[in-house]
Amino acid sequence: MTLEIDTGSGLMPVHEWNSEGDGPGVLLLQEIFGVSGYIKQRAEDLAALGYYVIAPEIYWRLDDTELDESAPDLLEKAMALLGRLDWDLAVSDSVAALEYLRGRDLGTGIVGFCFGGGLGFNVAAASPPDVLVSYYGSALPQLLELAPKVTAKSLHHFGDADTYLNADDVIPALGDAEIHRYTGAGHAFDNPLPAFHHVEASELAWQRTVAFLSRELPTPQGS
């Protein structure tokens, strides 16, 4: 299902799952590939745990945003699309989505992957949720000055073979966040596309994500 959230400068399309549920709300933030089949699957996984999940179309202000996940130039086109995105607007749009969840008064979490992992960190600094889960947030090195403002209980996943993000440059600034590193895993290791996927790291990281959320943002069905 989809809905629209008023950002103050237009209506942002947002996908939703488990809209009739009474669990906490989770803001799911996309990779550079948009709200892809993979992101929708993770939303279903979270909804199955009892969360009300929304995934906004962060590229909604741009034109020509369709991406073919089977195309050989997928990464090149996605990077070009990202280059046209206004970061500050992406943050404020995401804050609007989080505020929508906060209005339910049932607890809020952010789960972000890659681009969404960094975006979620920035959003958490601007409008603190109850919890934050960030998978290899690609913008983290440029956002570390915001770390003192990220007061939510936080979980970060990093691949030790990540050529886009050096965890050693980021981890010291993350304070008392729960941090896990995965030997042999590269960037976007949770994405099932063969170019990225690391089966063992993906499975273990998801188990840890579920355990973290169950502990820090429990749902009625998990209690």
Side-chain angles (χ1 to χ4, degrees):
M1 296 180 63
T2 59
L3 67 142
E4 293 180 324
I5 290 177
D6 188 355
T7 67
S9 58
L11 298 176
M12 176 173 60
V14 175
H15 305 267
E16 64 175 349
W17 291 261
N18 198 25
S19 59
E20 302 303 317
D22 59 353
V26 170
L27 173 61
L28 181 60
L29 295 174
Q30 65 185 54
E31 296 180 310
I32 63 172
F33 307 119
V35 184
S36 61
Y38 155 59
I39 292 298
K40 291 177 180 178
Q41 180 58 58
R42 279 304 186 214
E44 291 177 10
D45 295 338
L46 289 165
L49 297 172
Y51 297 101
Y52 169 53
V53 184
I54 61 171
E57 290 279 358
I58 300 298
Y59 294 150
W60 72 282
R61 297 176 184 272
L62 304 176
D63 57 9
D64 191 23
T65 61
E66 292 297 319
L67 293 171
D68 179 359
E69 291 187 80
S70 65
D73 60 350
L74 171 64
L75 185 59
E76 177 184 348
K77 287 191 172 181
M79 291 296 291
L81 185 57
L82 182 65
R84 295 194 284 124
L85 183 72
D86 184 307
W87 178 267
D88 291 338
L89 280 175
V91 171
S92 62
D93 287 346
S94 300
V95 167
L98 184 64
E99 291 296 335
Y100 168 80
L101 290 179
R102 190 171 283 121
R104 298 172 68 246
D105 200 26
L106 292 170
T108 57
I110 298 174
V111 177
F113 296 86
C114 190
F115 160 72
L119 179 61
F121 187 82
N122 200 148
V123 173
S127 181
D130 295 307
V131 301
L132 166 69
V133 178
S134 174
Y135 277 71
Y136 31 78
S138 50
L140 284 176
Q142 291 77 50
L143 300 172
L144 295 181
E145 71 277 2
L146 298 176
K149 297 181 180 180
V150 180
T151 56
K153 292 281 188 177
S154 300
L155 168 64
H156 290 264
H157 300 291
F158 300 102
D160 275 344
D162 192 331
T163 58
Y164 294 92
L165 174 66
N166 186 344
D168 291 333
D169 294 337
V170 173
I171 289 173
L174 298 180
D176 59 358
E178 181 178 337
I179 295 168
H180 296 285
R181 303 176 67 156
Y182 301 86
T183 302
H187 199 67
F189 66 72
D190 191 58
N191 188 309
L193 289 176
F196 308 115
H197 200 214
H198 190 289
V199 176
E200 294 81 4
S202 174
E203 292 178 352
L204 180 55
W206 188 252
Q207 290 171 11
R208 288 168 167 165
T209 294
V210 171
F212 174 83
L213 290 173
S214 298
R215 182 178 70 249
E216 304 295 347
L217 193 68
T219 65
Q221 73 183 54
S223 58

